[in-house]
Amino acid sequence: MHCHRFFDIMESFDITQALYYLKQKYVLYCLESNVILYEKENQIVLSHEKWHSNMNIDDFQQSFCSCHFQLLPKQEETISKEKDDEYYQWRFHHQ
């Protein structure tokens, strides 16, 4: 994953804050392992560009205790009506 340039400007935090943010449904990035993390059904989901895995919270805490994390920017969860309209207008004119 080639996200380091974006992450260089953000503040990093430790496992204690990471657990808090995960429980609040934030998506995190682990600087040392280049893994994206989020909590789902009391499991930590780990996503790397080459693999995916789940682990329980205790195992996560032990395995990642010395790591540093950063918040990932939240994605828009819904499609903006304005952007949707723009797309269909563009598509209509370019057919």
Side-chain angles (χ1 to χ4, degrees):
M1 180 165 265
H2 304 286
C3 299
H4 291 291
R5 186 167 308 283
F6 175 77
F7 293 115
D8 288 344
I9 61 172
M10 294 182 66
E11 189 176 324
S12 64
F13 46 86
D14 66 9
I15 190 74
T16 303
Q17 286 181 288
L19 288 168
Y20 169 80
Y21 285 126
L22 288 167
K23 290 177 183 177
Q24 299 300 315
K25 303 299 183 192
Y26 283 89
V27 177
L28 308 182
Y29 178 76
C30 178
L31 297 172
E32 288 81 4
S33 62
N34 299 329
V35 174
I36 294 173
L37 311 135
Y38 60 94
E39 188 271 334
K40 182 178 181 182
E41 299 173 359
N42 292 320
Q43 292 279 307
I44 305 301
V45 179
L46 310 165
S47 180
H48 187 273
E49 62 186 30
K50 298 184 186 215
W51 53 264
H52 300 283
S53 184
N54 294 352
M55 65 173 44
N56 68 46
I57 292 172
D58 291 336
D59 289 343
F60 167 72
Q61 197 166 2
Q62 288 178 351
S63 300
F64 287 81
C65 64
S66 62
C67 292
H68 297 88
F69 304 88
Q70 291 179 328
L71 293 174
L72 285 179
K74 288 190 174 188
Q75 300 289 325
E76 259 187 62
E77 293 192 23
T78 59
I79 295 173
S80 151
K81 177 152 176 38
E82 185 177 303
K83 288 182 182 180
D84 204 31
D85 289 345
E86 284 177 20
Y87 168 76
Y88 284 108
Q89 286 175 1
W90 176 87
R91 187 172 168 203
F92 176 77
H93 291 292
H94 290 88
Q95 284 184 339

